[in-house]
Amino acid sequence: MVQLSNRSIVYLLVIAMAITLASTVLNVSKLGYLGNMITGAATNTSVGTATLTVTSQTAVTMRVSSIAFGSGFVNTTSAVCTYCQSSTESGHASGNESCCSRFNNVTAGFFLENTGNENVTLNVTCSGSCTAAEFVNGTSPLFQFRVVNSSDGASTGKTSNNSADTTTDTTSSCSSGDGGWNYSSYTAMAASTFDLCGKNTSVAYFFGAQPTRNAVIMDILVKIPADAITASAKTATLTFAAASAG
Amino acid sequence: MYQATETYLNQAYISLPKIGENMVKFNSHAKQKVGSKVGSLNVMKGNASPHSDVSDKAVIIMLIAVVVISLLSLGLYIYTSAQDTPDIAAGQAIAQEAPSQGIISLEIVPPPQPAPIVDTYD
């Protein structure tokens, strides 16, 4: 057997002790007993706060992002046709179908789904031809929008495009806070920003993230007078933005 | 000071005491501990039998194990410290989703003019 002197053993012991001490100092200092390494440590000894952090994700996905009414005209050869009215809620207005010549019969509004795991705000900003006069023109035109729950179509039996939903909504997606979706009735489009869910503030995080209450539909309505003519295709760009508290 | 260290009887070497002091007594036929104080001469107690006490080898193996375990502990601590940073800390700034855009388009064209009535009868 190889003989090791006591001196060698002492060296090994010193190394072991040094390493152990270094580990201990690091761990203890990490716990806050040495130095101020925990910035969020409680300072009031009578009240303690335990915090659990779950990774948050803020994401809103647009399932339907284009509404093209196409190119057409009001069928003035019919005496009853003074306008063409169409909406993504129900397509061409009932009884008015023959007046909307060559226009696309669009029955799907913008569809947005909160695909993150945080309740969010939701707002929309319009740019481009945002007013009825710019987008349609003519005498007494309409260019309006409304915001409704994805679940409304199923509950009312109306035409809805909620088939785009990953999980079909069964209840209001903006039921928290107060007021639900703003602009649930048709409202004139304008070149400005609209807070859509809950209060008219940018910190109303009420657009839900639960799969059965996380989708919203924005319907668009246009009323095209018989004397309306656009020199070219008009476009309005809607920019949707969402924010969470993190 | 003279010293005899960790010895078995059959491997022992014992320094001679100073003149006039008692000799160390031992039984060369029996495996038993040896150790006695002879004047100022300290004869360290060794392991007379491998079954009666922990051997030097075992002690060294244990010490080496302690060093290795300590190093592993330190390495694990450094590794986990580098890994446990949360992706998003509590109280962070508001997360902003990249905006999505929707396009609405419409074109209104003039209605086609009715074809002129052509009288084919002269």
Side-chain angles (χ1 to χ4, degrees), chain B residues 18-40:
Chain B
K18 293 180 180 178
I19 296 173
E21 293 180 336
N22 294 330
M23 295 290 291
V24 173
K25 295 178 181 178
F26 62 93
N27 183 349
S28 61
H29 299 291
K31 289 185 175 179
Q32 63 184 25
K33 289 185 187 177
V34 175
S36 60
K37 188 170 185 179
V38 182
S40 62

mmCIF file of all heavy atoms in Angstrom, chain B residues 18-40:
data_model
loop_
_atom_site.group_PDB
_atom_site.id
_atom_site.type_symbol
_atom_site.label_atom_id
_atom_site.label_comp_id
_atom_site.label_asym_id
_atom_site.label_seq_id
_atom_site.Cartn_x
_atom_site.Cartn_y
_atom_site.Cartn_z
ATOM 1 N N LYS B 18 16.777 7.285 23.641
ATOM 2 C CA LYS B 18 18.057 7.789 24.112
ATOM 3 C C LYS B 18 18.670 6.795 25.088
ATOM 4 O O LYS B 18 18.001 5.988 25.715
ATOM 5 C CB LYS B 18 17.861 9.122 24.824
ATOM 6 C CG LYS B 18 17.419 10.214 23.872
ATOM 7 C CD LYS B 18 17.228 11.516 24.627
ATOM 8 C CE LYS B 18 16.789 12.600 23.666
ATOM 9 N NZ LYS B 18 16.540 13.877 24.391
ATOM 10 N N ILE B 19 19.866 6.946 25.161
ATOM 11 C CA ILE B 19 20.581 6.020 26.030
ATOM 12 C C ILE B 19 20.099 6.202 27.463
ATOM 13 O O ILE B 19 19.940 7.314 27.949
ATOM 14 C CB ILE B 19 22.101 6.262 25.958
ATOM 15 C CG1 ILE B 19 22.564 5.946 24.541
ATOM 16 C CG2 ILE B 19 22.840 5.433 26.990
ATOM 17 C CD1 ILE B 19 24.008 6.302 24.312
ATOM 18 N N GLY B 20 19.835 5.089 28.069
ATOM 19 C CA GLY B 20 19.399 5.135 29.444
ATOM 20 C C GLY B 20 17.906 5.034 29.612
ATOM 21 O O GLY B 20 17.409 4.825 30.715
ATOM 22 N N GLU B 21 17.174 5.181 28.510
ATOM 23 C CA GLU B 21 15.732 5.081 28.630
ATOM 24 C C GLU B 21 15.311 3.664 28.293
ATOM 25 O O GLU B 21 16.036 2.901 27.677
ATOM 26 C CB GLU B 21 15.058 6.073 27.684
ATOM 27 C CG GLU B 21 15.306 7.511 28.096
ATOM 28 C CD GLU B 21 14.629 8.477 27.144
ATOM 29 O OE1 GLU B 21 14.379 8.081 25.982
ATOM 30 O OE2 GLU B 21 14.367 9.611 27.566
ATOM 31 N N ASN B 22 14.068 3.353 28.690
ATOM 32 C CA ASN B 22 13.558 2.004 28.485
ATOM 33 C C ASN B 22 13.316 1.717 27.015
ATOM 34 O O ASN B 22 12.937 2.590 26.246
ATOM 35 C CB ASN B 22 12.255 1.827 29.245
ATOM 36 C CG ASN B 22 12.490 1.898 30.729
ATOM 37 O OD1 ASN B 22 13.565 1.531 31.215
ATOM 38 N ND2 ASN B 22 11.513 2.405 31.442
ATOM 39 N N MET B 23 13.501 0.513 26.666
ATOM 40 C CA MET B 23 13.250 0.078 25.312
ATOM 41 C C MET B 23 11.747 -0.139 25.133
ATOM 42 O O MET B 23 11.014 -0.426 26.055
ATOM 43 C CB MET B 23 13.984 -1.237 25.005
ATOM 44 C CG MET B 23 15.487 -1.111 25.042
ATOM 45 S SD MET B 23 16.124 -0.146 23.671
ATOM 46 C CE MET B 23 15.768 -1.295 22.343
ATOM 47 N N VAL B 24 11.343 0.038 23.891
ATOM 48 C CA VAL B 24 9.956 -0.274 23.588
ATOM 49 C C VAL B 24 9.797 -1.777 23.552
ATOM 50 O O VAL B 24 10.610 -2.477 22.977
ATOM 51 C CB VAL B 24 9.569 0.318 22.228
ATOM 52 C CG1 VAL B 24 8.175 -0.140 21.824
ATOM 53 C CG2 VAL B 24 9.648 1.818 22.304
ATOM 54 N N LYS B 25 8.720 -2.177 24.199
ATOM 55 C CA LYS B 25 8.488 -3.613 24.244
ATOM 56 C C LYS B 25 7.417 -3.974 23.236
ATOM 57 O O LYS B 25 6.417 -3.298 23.105
ATOM 58 C CB LYS B 25 8.040 -4.037 25.638
ATOM 59 C CG LYS B 25 9.116 -3.815 26.704
ATOM 60 C CD LYS B 25 8.609 -4.206 28.068
ATOM 61 C CE LYS B 25 9.679 -3.966 29.134
ATOM 62 N NZ LYS B 25 9.198 -4.297 30.496
ATOM 63 N N PHE B 26 7.643 -5.023 22.556
ATOM 64 C CA PHE B 26 6.600 -5.493 21.665
ATOM 65 C C PHE B 26 6.725 -6.979 21.448
ATOM 66 O O PHE B 26 7.777 -7.568 21.632
ATOM 67 C CB PHE B 26 6.642 -4.768 20.317
ATOM 68 C CG PHE B 26 7.916 -5.001 19.576
ATOM 69 C CD1 PHE B 26 8.008 -6.042 18.650
ATOM 70 C CD2 PHE B 26 9.013 -4.191 19.772
ATOM 71 C CE1 PHE B 26 9.176 -6.235 17.957
ATOM 72 C CE2 PHE B 26 10.164 -4.398 19.080
ATOM 73 C CZ PHE B 26 10.259 -5.411 18.158
ATOM 74 N N ASN B 27 5.633 -7.532 21.071
ATOM 75 C CA ASN B 27 5.586 -8.954 20.812
ATOM 76 C C ASN B 27 5.580 -9.156 19.318
ATOM 77 O O ASN B 27 4.626 -8.794 18.629
ATOM 78 C CB ASN B 27 4.331 -9.560 21.438
ATOM 79 C CG ASN B 27 4.285 -11.062 21.256
ATOM 80 O OD1 ASN B 27 5.062 -11.617 20.499
ATOM 81 N ND2 ASN B 27 3.397 -11.702 21.986
ATOM 82 N N SER B 28 6.641 -9.671 18.791
ATOM 83 C CA SER B 28 6.751 -9.797 17.342
ATOM 84 C C SER B 28 5.891 -10.908 16.792
ATOM 85 O O SER B 28 5.733 -11.021 15.585
ATOM 86 C CB SER B 28 8.212 -10.060 16.937
ATOM 87 O OG SER B 28 8.644 -11.257 17.516
ATOM 88 N N HIS B 29 5.271 -11.701 17.610
ATOM 89 C CA HIS B 29 4.458 -12.808 17.114
ATOM 90 C C HIS B 29 2.977 -12.476 17.095
ATOM 91 O O HIS B 29 2.211 -13.138 16.419
ATOM 92 C CB HIS B 29 4.686 -14.050 17.976
ATOM 93 C CG HIS B 29 6.102 -14.521 17.972
ATOM 94 N ND1 HIS B 29 6.714 -15.075 16.870
ATOM 95 C CD2 HIS B 29 7.060 -14.456 18.929
ATOM 96 C CE1 HIS B 29 7.958 -15.370 17.144
ATOM 97 N NE2 HIS B 29 8.211 -14.985 18.398
ATOM 98 N N ALA B 30 2.597 -11.507 17.840
ATOM 99 C CA ALA B 30 1.162 -11.184 17.909
ATOM 100 C C ALA B 30 0.875 -9.911 17.139
ATOM 101 O O ALA B 30 1.642 -8.966 17.140
ATOM 102 C CB ALA B 30 0.737 -11.013 19.358
ATOM 103 N N LYS B 31 -0.297 -9.924 16.436
ATOM 104 C CA LYS B 31 -0.713 -8.718 15.731
ATOM 105 C C LYS B 31 -1.565 -7.893 16.675
ATOM 106 O O LYS B 31 -2.764 -8.066 16.789
ATOM 107 C CB LYS B 31 -1.512 -9.087 14.489
ATOM 108 C CG LYS B 31 -0.641 -9.709 13.411
ATOM 109 C CD LYS B 31 -1.436 -9.948 12.161
ATOM 110 C CE LYS B 31 -0.518 -10.463 11.049
ATOM 111 N NZ LYS B 31 -1.266 -10.733 9.816
ATOM 112 N N GLN B 32 -0.976 -7.027 17.329
ATOM 113 C CA GLN B 32 -1.688 -6.175 18.254
ATOM 114 C C GLN B 32 -1.065 -4.802 18.226
ATOM 115 O O GLN B 32 0.010 -4.593 17.694
ATOM 116 C CB GLN B 32 -1.627 -6.759 19.660
ATOM 117 C CG GLN B 32 -0.201 -6.831 20.199
ATOM 118 C CD GLN B 32 -0.142 -7.506 21.552
ATOM 119 O OE1 GLN B 32 -0.996 -8.299 21.888
ATOM 120 N NE2 GLN B 32 0.868 -7.183 22.328
ATOM 121 N N LYS B 33 -1.825 -3.894 18.754
ATOM 122 C CA LYS B 33 -1.346 -2.521 18.742
ATOM 123 C C LYS B 33 -0.074 -2.388 19.543
ATOM 124 O O LYS B 33 0.106 -3.031 20.553
ATOM 125 C CB LYS B 33 -2.389 -1.597 19.352
ATOM 126 C CG LYS B 33 -3.605 -1.419 18.494
ATOM 127 C CD LYS B 33 -4.472 -0.404 19.167
ATOM 128 C CE LYS B 33 -5.791 -0.290 18.462
ATOM 129 N NZ LYS B 33 -6.682 0.646 19.152
ATOM 130 N N VAL B 34 0.678 -1.543 19.046
ATOM 131 C CA VAL B 34 1.909 -1.241 19.759
ATOM 132 C C VAL B 34 1.894 0.229 20.098
ATOM 133 O O VAL B 34 1.522 1.059 19.297
ATOM 134 C CB VAL B 34 3.131 -1.542 18.875
ATOM 135 C CG1 VAL B 34 4.389 -1.092 19.602
ATOM 136 C CG2 VAL B 34 3.178 -3.018 18.569
ATOM 137 N N GLY B 35 2.218 0.570 21.202
ATOM 138 C CA GLY B 35 2.307 1.969 21.541
ATOM 139 C C GLY B 35 2.606 2.129 22.997
ATOM 140 O O GLY B 35 1.866 1.683 23.857
ATOM 141 N N SER B 36 3.656 2.681 23.194
ATOM 142 C CA SER B 36 3.998 2.935 24.590
ATOM 143 C C SER B 36 4.937 4.109 24.657
ATOM 144 O O SER B 36 5.600 4.443 23.680
ATOM 145 C CB SER B 36 4.673 1.701 25.216
ATOM 146 O OG SER B 36 5.855 1.408 24.510
ATOM 147 N N LYS B 37 4.868 4.737 25.696
ATOM 148 C CA LYS B 37 5.685 5.924 25.860
ATOM 149 C C LYS B 37 6.980 5.536 26.562
ATOM 150 O O LYS B 37 6.979 4.944 27.632
ATOM 151 C CB LYS B 37 4.954 6.953 26.689
ATOM 152 C CG LYS B 37 5.655 8.283 26.758
ATOM 153 C CD LYS B 37 4.759 9.323 27.395
ATOM 154 C CE LYS B 37 5.419 10.687 27.365
ATOM 155 N NZ LYS B 37 4.526 11.696 27.966
ATOM 156 N N VAL B 38 7.999 5.838 25.887
ATOM 157 C CA VAL B 38 9.302 5.515 26.454
ATOM 158 C C VAL B 38 10.038 6.823 26.631
ATOM 159 O O VAL B 38 10.548 7.399 25.680
ATOM 160 C CB VAL B 38 10.103 4.599 25.526
ATOM 161 C CG1 VAL B 38 11.428 4.242 26.173
ATOM 162 C CG2 VAL B 38 9.281 3.376 25.196
ATOM 163 N N GLY B 39 9.992 7.289 27.851
ATOM 164 C CA GLY B 39 10.644 8.550 28.091
ATOM 165 C C GLY B 39 10.035 9.629 27.239
ATOM 166 O O GLY B 39 8.819 9.834 27.245
ATOM 167 N N SER B 40 10.803 10.292 26.450
ATOM 168 C CA SER B 40 10.296 11.323 25.560
ATOM 169 C C SER B 40 9.943 10.769 24.193
ATOM 170 O O SER B 40 9.553 11.504 23.311
ATOM 171 C CB SER B 40 11.343 12.431 25.402
ATOM 172 O OG SER B 40 12.504 11.875 24.814
#
